[in-house]
Amino acid sequence: FVFLDDEPAWVDHDRIDNAADALVRHTPILGMVLGAASLLRGAGNFIAGKPLALTGRYVSRPAVRSVEVGEWLRHVLTRGGMRRDGGGFAFTVRVRLIHAHVRKGILASGVWDEDAWGVPIPQSYMALTMAEFGHIAVEAMQTLGVRFTDRELDDIYHLWRYVGHVIGMSEELGPRTERDHIAVEELYRLTSPGPSDEDREFVTALTEQYLVPELANLLPGTAPIRTTVARTVMHSLQRVFIGDADADAL
């Protein structure tokens, strides 16, 4: 908490609030791309997903997990949310403590192969998580027609830089700009061993139990027709967002 109380000089809360305003204007689309683009991009590496799989929450109840992430994001994207007494700050610190608890529990269990997998929830995969909420989400939103100004984009990356700081990213490895986010994404793909069956089960559960029903609820017609159309649209969006090769692997 000494670290958390010592706010870096580069933090600009006006820019963070501007970023929150820009993203909140597109909340429905942001929610869709986080599920259909960001989480799928992360699922392409079985080592990154292994800590969550070991907790037993990887495949089970993806809708509940999505709602939990949404609640955290709602506080982060509230004006003042990332100030020291803000809800977004508190929720982000809670995530940091959960990460620490999971790391400690997994290492104590004796089931983790550090030589093969590195440390659980390492800085490199945390950086990818920042890119999932940053460039990966922004790029997918732009694909769907959302347009941000250059200033809004800069402020969005500033927001995620500070979230990364609070969640425990080192100053050396924490992504700061769009270029940093893209570099992290490329390194993630380059070093990825590919997905496992657990990753494929997660993507299936996320799509069938959460993304498709959520989209179907927005469509007209009978339930079977809405579900069929929603499934086709969601599968198509996922392929557009991450590409055929990665979609095939998942």
Side-chain angles (χ1 to χ4, degrees), residues 4-250:
L4 292 170
D5 285 331
D6 186 17
E7 185 176 274
W10 52 260
V11 176
D12 185 330
H13 284 285
D14 288 337
R15 292 181 63 190
I16 290 172
D17 287 346
N18 290 339
D21 289 344
L23 290 169
V24 162
R25 288 200 302 271
H26 307 286
T27 297
I29 292 178
L30 176 61
M32 179 181 293
V33 301
L34 288 175
S38 301
L39 287 179
L40 263 66
R41 180 62 70 198
N45 183 330
F46 82 85
I47 297 175
K50 190 169 285 293
L52 193 55
L54 290 175
T55 67
R57 298 203 68 205
Y58 197 31
V59 177
S60 65
R61 307 175 73 190
V64 173
R65 283 185 48 224
S66 297
V67 170
E68 290 171 348
V69 172
E71 182 67 2
W72 164 74
L73 191 60
R74 181 176 70 83
H75 285 84
V76 169
L77 299 184
T78 298
R79 292 184 68 85
M82 287 305 297
R83 291 186 181 275
R84 181 61 182 82
D85 59 350
F89 186 97
F91 268 72
T92 304
V93 173
R94 180 173 181 267
V95 172
R96 181 173 180 170
L97 292 172
I98 291 171
H99 284 174
H101 182 73
V102 169
R103 287 190 194 99
K104 182 178 180 181
I106 287 176
L107 291 174
S109 71
V111 301
W112 188 262
D113 187 344
E114 190 166 332
D115 290 338
W117 305 327
V119 297
I121 319 179
Q123 290 276 310
S124 54
Y125 296 159
M126 290 168 62
L128 190 278
T129 299
M130 294 302 100
E132 287 178 347
F133 286 97
H135 176 259
I136 294 174
V138 166
E139 184 179 54
M141 293 173 76
Q142 291 172 329
T143 299
L144 295 179
V146 174
R147 293 293 177 263
F148 296 108
T149 66
D150 290 343
R151 178 180 177 182
E152 287 172 336
L153 288 172
D154 287 344
D155 291 346
I156 287 170
Y157 291 116
H158 186 75
L159 161 67
W160 293 116
R161 180 187 179 188
Y162 186 48
V163 171
H165 171 83
V166 174
I167 215 168
M169 286 296 311
S170 71
E171 190 67 20
E172 295 80 13
L173 295 178
R176 305 180 183 185
T177 64
E178 180 183 81
R179 179 180 296 180
D180 294 337
H181 282 233
I182 293 172
V184 166
E185 296 167 37
E186 292 175 346
L187 286 167
Y188 187 78
R189 294 191 190 99
L190 179 67
T191 60
S192 172
S196 66
D197 287 340
E198 285 180 322
D199 295 303
R200 297 182 187 97
E201 291 173 10
F202 162 69
V203 170
T204 298
L206 174 71
T207 303
E208 294 298 324
Q209 298 177 29
Y210 182 66
L211 295 175
V212 169
E214 286 291 305
L215 181 57
N217 286 337
L218 303 176
L219 302 176
T222 63
I225 292 176
R226 287 189 284 115
T227 298
T228 299
V229 172
R231 181 177 293 113
T232 300
V233 170
M234 191 54 62
H235 287 175
S236 301
L237 286 174
Q238 289 169 333
R239 287 188 169 272
V240 167
F241 292 148
I242 71 171
D244 284 338
D246 290 335
D248 288 344
L250 288 170

